Amino acid sequence: MLHTAVASRSFRRYSTYVGATLAGIFTNSVFGAIMCFVYIEVWAGNPDAGGYDVTDAVTYVWLGQAMIMTVAVWGGGSPDDLATRIKSGDVVIDFYRPVGILGWYLAADLGRAAYHLLTRGLAPTLVGGLFFDLRYPADALTWLLFAIAIPLAVVVSFGLRMLAALTTFWLLDDVGPRTLLGFVALFFSGLTVPLVLLPGVLRDVALALPWATFLQVPADIWLGRTTGVEVLGAYAFVVAWAVVLLGACALVLQRAERRVVVQGG
């Protein structure tokens, strides 16, 4: 199948950057350890902050480190490749392919995510398990439910990153939108602090935004805070955002195809 081949090629492409992967694993492990010590002190003063105990909090840290590159919290992946092709004019070739641009680049991004999950996702979590007391899913079903949440989160992230990339058709450069998107994602993904720690209305708003699907939703499944029919509600939330964002991407692509603007002529 074509999309499977695209995903596979993307996986192999990222697997060639061994040095960058090892450096990233080291960086994620160091920052994870630092954040754990901070969280341990915070939870020492408030043992049930956000409904988490200290083991939940420390586990959340390592899940966050695992998801940074998997979900591409700070951007990157195939949407950046598309933005480059828009600026060079090569995007015209993409429009002539007998396969949709959106499906092609989504498949490539899923291949990228799979590679990062198995390397920069798994390795730091194993490191965290060696030095800290982590909480693991209690049964095989929870592992499966968590595994399903990951590609769904990647699709939501892809939709946001693709929208930023598509602004290049009009702005001729995606640096501004991409930087802004990364800044917003850093906070609203829950990577800085768990969204459950936010006060009142801010917490409700943050949990309703698409960035909550990056880390908070999968983490709550892993930690057993979201169980039973609540998991279906969590999936519905993620799928709804995925449909909205991919639909928006499709509409923008339709408009862009009618007026391809290429930097330089």
Side-chain angles (χ1 to χ4, degrees):
M1 189 175 176
L2 177 60
H3 291 98
T4 302
V6 172
S8 177
R9 187 179 68 176
S10 179
F11 185 100
R12 291 197 302 270
R13 169 191 170 189
Y14 281 90
S15 68
T16 61
Y17 302 109
V18 177
T21 299
L22 293 175
I25 291 171
F26 176 78
T27 301
N28 289 140
S29 299
V30 170
F31 274 95
I34 293 172
M35 291 182 67
C36 279
F37 290 122
V38 173
Y39 276 31
I40 289 170
E41 290 301 314
V42 170
W43 261 263
N46 189 353
D48 62 347
Y52 286 2
D53 60 24
V54 67
T55 304
D56 290 333
V58 170
T59 304
Y60 183 95
V61 168
W62 292 104
L63 290 175
Q65 294 303 307
M67 296 297 281
I68 287 176
M69 292 302 294
T70 302
V71 182
V73 173
W74 292 319
S78 63
D80 282 10
D81 296 337
L82 177 60
T84 299
R85 292 176 66 81
I86 294 171
K87 286 183 282 188
S88 68
D90 291 339
V91 69
V92 174
I93 300 173
D94 294 334
F95 279 121
Y96 277 105
R97 285 192 183 125
V99 60
I101 290 178
L102 201 57
W104 179 284
Y105 283 92
L106 175 56
D109 204 60
L110 289 171
R112 174 207 60 79
Y115 173 74
H116 284 308
L117 176 64
L118 295 175
T119 53
R120 292 187 61 175
L122 181 60
T125 306
L126 293 175
V127 171
L130 291 175
F131 295 99
F132 297 91
D133 182 22
L134 304 185
R135 176 162 285 118
Y136 298 94
D139 50 54
L141 178 60
T142 304
W143 282 100
L144 176 61
L145 295 175
F146 173 76
I148 293 172
I150 294 176
L152 293 177
V154 174
V155 174
V156 174
S157 171
F158 169 82
L160 290 166
R161 287 177 285 125
M162 179 59 79
L163 285 174
L166 292 176
T167 62
T168 311
F169 279 112
W170 289 270
L171 301 180
L172 305 183
D173 195 276
D174 66 323
V175 173
R178 180 158 45 86
T179 302
L180 178 60
L181 183 64
F183 177 78
V184 173
L186 180 62
F187 180 78
F188 284 108
S189 67
L191 186 62
T192 305
V193 295
L195 299 181
V196 293
L197 294 185
L198 300 179
V201 176
L202 180 58
R203 170 181 170 173
D204 295 337
V205 171
L207 289 173
L209 294 174
W211 294 278
T213 68
F214 289 13
L215 174 55
Q216 191 68 60
V217 171
D220 281 342
I221 293 175
W222 175 289
L223 296 171
R225 288 172 50 89
T226 302
T227 59
V229 295
E230 294 176 343
V231 175
L232 297 180
Y235 285 165
F237 170 71
V238 181
V239 170
W241 270 117
V243 170
V244 168
L245 291 169
L246 291 180
C249 290
L251 290 174
V252 173
L253 274 170
Q254 287 179 2
R255 293 197 61 184
E257 191 172 7
R258 290 197 294 267
R259 49 159 298 184
V260 176
V261 180
V262 179
Q263 189 170 6

